[in-house]
Amino acid sequence: MDDVRSDILLPSGRSSRLGLTGVLTGLLLFLSPPAAVPHSGGPTAPRGSAYMGVGVRAHDGGAPLAAERSAGLRVTQTEGVDVSSHQGNVAWSTLWSAGTKWAYTKATEGTYYKNPNFSQQYNGPYNAGMIRGSYHFATPDTTSGKAQADYFVDHGGGWSKDGRTLPGVLDIEWNPYGASCYGKSKSGMVSWIKDFLNRYKARTGRSAVIYTATNWWKDCTGNYAGFASSHPLWIARYASTPGTLPAGWSTHTMWQYTSSGKTVGDHDKFNGALSRVRALANG
């Protein structure tokens, strides 16, 4: 019997004549659910789905190159990782064995989201021997900096001087849900960040780390230099060097250099030996 053939419209918009087997195979592929991957952001991204570096590749580009090839940094850099709910239960012992010595976990976003995997992702690295911390994904278009700092501290963003807990991080970067600068003017954005940082220090006694990308910082704060003297910088750039830093910072403390690191999560380098990571934890 002759194979039944039919015209179908391919995803590209071109039509093609395929056999019945091809038609059925194409339909199965079309109907199959996509693999679970972090949402890349955009106006239709569900609230709560953001993660550290959600906009870096889309806006800055760059391939995840080996950080060890970078020039102009301290000779010793200490490997770290950052994770969010997208990674689920993390194999911390595997990461530890691979040389990862510190970790940050997403705790909160805005004043509406708490990471459902936070306990495993925050206590897991501690139990594996790592130095750990947590981060807050900022949404300056939803509530005040003060309100978000309180929400962060109340839901995993606190700090204790145990030598194993790092200060909290303000993840301030491209908006995955709309306008890149969250609808704020440059001065308005600086005021919002200041509001968050001041409240975080009042609640914890520590200065929060600022995670950002240079291009976003220039576009959305006007390259404001006023936070550099008090707040460590975690720079995001997927390339062989951290590149140009935001105004005011002469060096970075941490560097997110790839979004596809070994085992799981985004991978990072602390600009110094493990003793310097401990020093930051101790304050």
Side-chain angles (χ1 to χ4, degrees):
M1 179 177 176
D2 292 339
D3 189 14
V4 178
R5 311 187 73 83
S6 176
D7 284 320
I8 65 169
L9 188 66
L10 299 177
S12 63
R14 295 177 291 109
S15 65
S16 177
R17 294 187 62 83
L18 298 177
L20 181 58
T21 301
V23 171
L24 293 175
T25 301
L27 285 172
L28 286 172
L29 289 172
F30 179 78
L31 294 172
S32 297
V37 295
H39 203 292
S40 61
T44 60
R47 287 280 178 177
S49 64
Y51 54 92
M52 186 176 276
V54 64
V56 175
R57 181 177 299 281
H59 292 83
D60 278 357
L65 304 177
E68 290 79 5
R69 287 167 37 191
S70 61
L73 306 177
R74 295 177 183 174
V75 172
T76 303
Q77 298 179 77
T78 307
E79 184 78 9
V81 67
D82 59 271
V83 298
S84 66
S85 63
H86 296 290
Q87 279 75 46
N89 287 340
V90 176
W92 292 109
S93 59
T94 302
L95 282 165
W96 172 262
S97 298
T100 304
K101 301 303 180 185
W102 57 278
Y104 267 96
T105 299
K106 180 182 178 181
T108 51
E109 177 179 318
T111 52
Y112 52 80
Y113 174 85
K114 297 178 289 183
N115 179 0
N117 298 96
F118 181 74
S119 181
Q120 194 275 344
Q121 293 183 346
Y122 186 68
N123 296 322
Y126 187 94
N127 294 335
M130 297 181 195
I131 301 172
R132 53 84 190 271
S134 59
Y135 76 86
H136 174 79
F137 192 91
T139 57
D141 57 337
T142 60
T143 46
S144 70
K146 177 180 179 294
Q148 292 193 31
D150 280 333
Y151 190 78
F152 178 42
V153 173
D154 292 342
H155 299 100
W159 174 79
S160 58
K161 192 173 182 178
D162 57 8
R164 299 276 301 283
T165 302
L166 292 157
V169 172
L170 173 64
D171 178 355
I172 186 78
E173 57 172 295
W174 287 281
N175 179 10
Y177 311 118
S180 293
C181 298
Y182 300 86
K184 291 194 172 293
S185 65
K186 293 177 175 63
S187 61
M189 182 62 75
V190 169
S191 295
W192 191 97
I193 295 171
K194 189 177 298 183
D195 194 31
F196 181 99
L197 297 175
N198 287 345
R199 183 61 173 174
Y200 185 82
K201 185 165 187 179
R203 289 287 307 274
T204 66
R206 292 300 306 272
S207 293
V209 176
I210 296 175
Y211 167 97
T212 196
T214 300
N215 286 337
W216 183 90
W217 194 261
K218 288 179 177 179
D219 289 346
C220 298
T221 75
N223 213 18
Y224 181 75
F227 299 126
S229 62
S230 302
H231 298 275
L233 173 66
W234 189 345
I235 192 68
R237 186 171 186 255
Y238 304 157
S240 58
T241 70
T244 302
L245 302 180
W249 283 282
S250 59
T251 188
H252 66 284
T253 298
M254 291 171 277
W255 168 29
Q256 186 187 62
Y257 68 92
T258 178
S259 62
S260 57
K262 50 194 173 187
T263 306
V264 71
D266 303 318
H267 277 252
D268 312 272
K269 291 289 182 184
F270 193 97
N271 197 13
L274 184 58
S275 60
R276 300 308 305 158
V277 185
R278 293 196 185 98
L280 180 60
N282 282 319

